Amino acid sequence: SGLAVLTLCQPGRGNPIDGTFTVDLKTISLKLWETPGLRGVLLCAEGPNFSFGGDLKSFLPERANLAPLVRRWTSDLHMGLQRLWQLPVPIVAQVQGYAMGGAAALMAGCDFVVAARSAKIGSAFTQLGFSCDSGSTIALTARMGAARAKRFVMLAQVFDSAQALQAGLVDQVVED
């Protein structure tokens, strides 16, 4: 059919962005480029939430070497996102529950975003004392404009689906 379905599949953990995810995204994104007959990609998630974003619990055992860990993860993540977002086919994101931090950027970089009515989309970077990664500044700015994206990130806002639609962060809201 030419449709690839890319599914976040760790619902018990909130479909986190962690070291395994970043390597997998980089690898899968390259495979999508090499898929003959690819006509579109559906990005979705198992469970009640799209993704809580970065898995901060994963940092604890590595806290003595946090800077190299973050550099490694973000290097893989950014390469995967770049490959994914540059695919010459449309990418549709299907979002339910929470999409936070890097997961909000992941969905924002897609060509079309469909959100469940009960979806909540937020940027938690400033509350954690982190600067944005995961392509947030590019993806959020492209969707909402610079001033709106800046407020979204700097104020750590969480939008319901109606607010996200009004801000341009999602393209369509559907019943859960």
Side-chain angles (χ1 to χ4, degrees), residues 28-175:
I28 289 166
S29 295
L30 181 59
K31 286 181 181 179
L32 289 171
W33 270 95
E34 299 167 349
T35 301
L38 184 65
R39 296 182 54 212
V41 176
L42 173 63
L43 174 63
C44 58
E46 293 177 356
N49 296 294
F50 183 74
S51 173
F52 291 147
D55 183 7
L56 300 180
K57 292 178 186 173
S58 301
F59 293 155
L60 190 59
E62 301 284 338
R63 65 185 173 275
N65 295 308
L66 190 57
L69 174 71
V70 169
R71 280 192 296 272
R72 190 171 57 251
W73 283 16
T74 56
S75 174
D76 288 338
L77 177 61
H78 293 158
M79 179 57 72
L81 289 170
Q82 180 69 16
R83 287 175 178 165
L84 183 68
W85 291 340
Q86 295 300 316
L87 280 169
V89 299
I91 304 170
V92 177
Q94 173 185 311
V95 179
Q96 77 279 3
Y98 283 92
M100 299 298 293
L106 173 62
M107 55 137 255
C110 294
D111 298 298
F112 196 82
V113 179
V114 178
R117 188 159 310 284
S118 64
K120 304 279 189 215
I121 302 163
S123 176
F125 292 104
T126 56
Q127 288 182 318
L128 303 170
F130 285 3
S131 62
C132 289
D133 63 10
S134 59
S136 293
T137 54
I138 293 169
L140 296 174
T141 299
R143 281 211 158 259
M144 297 191 287
R148 186 69 198 94
K150 188 184 296 184
R151 286 193 309 274
F152 181 70
V153 171
M154 293 177 86
L155 299 176
Q157 293 179 323
V158 178
F159 289 163
D160 63 26
S161 60
Q163 293 167 314
L165 180 65
Q166 184 177 24
L169 192 51
V170 304
D171 300 297
Q172 185 176 2
V173 176
V174 297
E175 293 305 318

